[in-house]
Amino acid sequence: MSNIELHPAKQGLAGRLSVPGDKSISHRAVIFSSLAEGTSHITNFLTGEDCLRTVQAFREFGVAIEREDKDVTIHGKGINALKTPTQPINFGNSGTTARLLSGVLAALPHFSVAYGDESLSKRPMDRVVLPLEKMGAQITGRDQARLLPLAFEGCKLTGTTIEMNVKSAQVKSALLLAGMLADGETTVFEKGITRNHTEMLMSEYGIDLTKVGQRLTIQGNQQPQASDLRVPGDISSAAFFMVAAAITPNSSIAIEGVGLNPTRNGIITALEQMGADITVEQTDSVGHEPVGNIHVESSSLSAITLKGDLIPNLIDEIPIIALAATQAKGQTVIKDAHELKVKETNRIDSVVTNLRNLGADIESTEDGMVIHGPVQLSGGTVNSFGDHRIGMMGAIASYVSEASVEVLDKQCINISYPEFFEHFNKLQKKTS
Ligand code: S3P
């Protein structure tokens, strides 16, 4: 385990940066390109460990995938050319690989076995296994297939109507992918709005899908066609430096080329509601995804209440929003966020434990947390518990702490943001 000691940013933050490619889109681009007929080129691909798990999974199915840093070329030969994997597939720490590929593995005519690391092995898989079983999937696994490892018999599924009982883009995507490969028509009713990258990319790869309100309908036996794609910067990675600039005195930074998909931009809404000095300018769009630049200055923040429909739109940003709340005036309440309990760690516990260790006034609740601010953080130790977003939250806390912060197990940050420490150092103004 490697640790790092980080010091306060006494002079503030300044500069411009481009965050790495979006994690959700990078996974999906590999999935569609690997199932497609023809050669697809993906640029600005996220080279974090999670997305490389999805690449490796399709290599096990015989897909030729070349990668030169952030450029990936996938030589798709179509769904029927995939080969039965000879080894169990390692999903590592990646929940997105595990959930989305369950939809694919259940529906392909191949036997396969999948497993994950210690954290992923604790995360619920029944949320995808049960609805896939309604489509005829044959999946066995640990604890009655509630947990990895799972074995997929691989058989032809039949489309059906599924009402989702969890607000999860991963589950929705697994079912849409299974529906694309099944016989007949699959209809998925979403309980709320979750990120829509799968729907956006289906259209890029020539798949027909209709959406009426919260109802998504897909016809089966569709073959994706190759496409070229530039992945926008990940707003979930940008969020760490957006908050950093807002809470660190004497700061002014710009983050360029960030994906601004309206199902993902809740962090902007939250920071605006807190009174942050933030400007967003859309410059472009790639495929159906809007892209732009975000400029943030040091701000005087006020507390907010986050709940309801906004939660899925910023679920991965809650650790860094909690840090922002420690610097905001008043009582911040985060609720309706039970899903935090089944992320890479139980993020209610890991956020509260770590911020309290740094001197924050924070309590956990059944479905979120309550934070009182502003509080001068003292510094101390942050245990990432192997969770990349907890590690990054701890690192950003060091900018505004009185003394240094030691982040334990810093390498887990490579899961989603391999350049994090390079950017972290680059933004700090140097003493003149
Ligand atoms: C993701 C969806 C979210 C998110 C995860 C990525 C995706 O999970 O937390 O980091 O790419 O679909 P849920 O769908 O389980 O909420």
Side-chain angles (χ1 to χ4, degrees):
M1 189 162 88
S2 63
N3 308 334
I4 189 165
E5 188 167 352
L6 301 164
H7 301 281
K10 295 225 166 78
Q11 317 293 318
L13 308 175
R16 320 177 80 77
L17 56 87
S18 298
V19 288
D22 187 271
K23 182 155 82 72
S24 294
I25 298 176
S26 294
H27 280 295
R28 288 156 169 83
V30 172
I31 295 172
F32 286 112
S33 301
S34 297
L35 296 174
E37 253 167 7
T39 298
S40 300
H41 301 279
I42 307 166
T43 52
N44 202 36
F45 175 74
L46 172 61
T47 60
E49 286 168 20
D50 268 16
C51 296
L52 297 178
R53 295 290 177 188
T54 298
V55 167
Q56 188 52 33
F58 280 102
R59 284 186 174 143
E60 309 280 358
F61 275 92
V63 181
I65 305 181
E66 295 162 49
R67 183 170 75 84
E68 267 185 56
D69 193 26
K70 298 177 181 182
D71 293 342
V72 180
T73 303
I74 302 186
H75 303 278
K77 295 218 159 40
I79 294 158
N80 293 334
L82 297 173
K83 300 197 169 65
T84 305
T86 55
Q87 302 289 327
I89 302 170
N90 186 355
F91 291 157
N93 189 250
S94 179
T96 306
T97 311
R99 272 60 174 269
L100 270 61
L101 288 200
S102 291
V104 175
L105 269 48
L108 290 174
H110 300 279
F111 172 76
S112 57
V113 174
Y115 66 102
D117 72 3
E118 201 186 323
S119 151
L120 188 59
S121 303
K122 291 185 194 140
R123 297 179 66 186
M125 293 300 293
D126 46 342
R127 53 182 54 202
V128 286
V129 169
L130 294 174
L132 287 169
E133 282 175 348
K134 278 182 133 190
M135 297 174 76
Q138 291 181 33
I139 305 170
T140 50
R142 193 162 57 97
D143 196 11
Q144 293 174 324
R146 278 196 268 276
L147 297 169
L148 288 167
L150 294 176
F152 299 85
E153 202 48 59
C155 54
K156 195 72 191 169
L157 304 186
T158 310
T160 183
T161 297
I162 294 162
E163 264 186 61
M164 287 177 53
N165 55 14
V166 54
K167 288 183 194 169
S168 163
Q170 292 180 348
V171 176
K172 169 180 68 177
S173 302
L175 299 177
L176 292 177
L177 285 161
M180 177 182 90
L181 301 168
D183 276 339
E185 184 178 282
T186 300
T187 298
V188 179
F189 280 98
E190 266 210 280
K191 236 180 124 187
I193 297 171
T194 62
R195 64 191 69 192
N196 64 3
H197 305 299
T198 300
E199 297 90 305
M200 299 287 114
L201 284 186
M202 280 191 162
S203 141
E204 291 292 309
Y205 285 81
I207 300 298
D208 278 338
L209 172 79
T210 53
K211 181 170 177 4
V212 179
Q214 301 299 98
R215 191 180 68 185
L216 292 151
T217 303
I218 186 163
Q219 301 302 326
N221 296 314
Q222 294 195 62
Q223 167 61 64
Q225 298 304 320
S227 180
D228 291 342
L229 188 89
R230 181 174 169 79
V231 180
D234 196 328
I235 192 165
S236 297
S237 298
F240 290 93
F241 291 110
M242 289 160 67
V243 167
I247 63 177
T248 309
N250 301 316
S251 299
S252 172
I253 69 158
I255 311 176
E256 294 165 343
V258 183
L260 300 173
N261 181 312
T263 62
R264 287 286 298 285
N265 63 7
I267 177 67
I268 297 173
T269 312
L271 284 174
E272 282 172 350
Q273 285 177 7
M274 293 175 94
D277 190 345
I278 175 168
T279 327
V280 181
E281 175 208 5
Q282 188 185 333
T283 51
D284 201 0
S285 47
V286 287
H288 295 82
E289 305 274 352
V291 175
N293 300 334
I294 300 174
H295 181 229
V296 188
E297 309 241 341
S298 311
S299 313
S300 168
L301 300 181
S302 308
I304 42 167
T305 294
L306 293 176
K307 59 178 183 177
D309 289 346
L310 191 57
I311 296 295
N313 198 316
L314 45 66
I315 189 75
D316 291 341
E317 286 63 79
I318 290 179
I320 195 65
I321 291 172
L323 173 64
T326 69
Q327 305 305 301
K329 192 162 179 250
Q331 173 179 280
T332 292
V333 178
I334 300 173
K335 54 189 198 184
D336 302 327
H338 316 80
E339 279 293 303
L340 289 176
K341 294 183 179 172
V342 291
K343 296 297 175 188
E344 286 82 333
T345 52
N346 174 335
R347 284 189 179 151
I348 298 182
D349 289 351
S350 51
V351 166
V352 171
T353 307
N354 278 305
L355 290 180
R356 196 179 281 158
N357 279 348
L358 298 182
D361 181 351
I362 179 167
E363 290 143 44
S364 56
T365 60
E366 182 38 39
D367 62 350
M369 56 196 86
V370 177
I371 306 142
H372 293 97
V375 164
Q376 169 63 63
L377 299 179
S378 53
T381 302
V382 166
N383 192 339
S384 66
F385 302 113
D387 182 337
H388 52 132
R389 299 199 203 278
I390 300 300
M392 289 188 276
M393 176 197 77
I396 300 296
S398 74
Y399 280 151
V400 292
S401 291
E402 209 154 27
S404 62
V405 173
E406 187 178 27
V407 177
L408 307 185
D409 198 2
K410 69 165 173 141
Q411 75 275 14
C412 65
I413 293 174
N414 289 333
I415 297 277
S416 66
Y417 200 159
E419 300 96 323
F420 178 78
F421 286 109
E422 190 192 312
H423 293 173
F424 181 91
N425 292 327
K426 171 180 149 173
L427 288 182
Q428 284 192 63
K429 287 192 213 163
K430 307 287 172 275
T431 353
S432 45

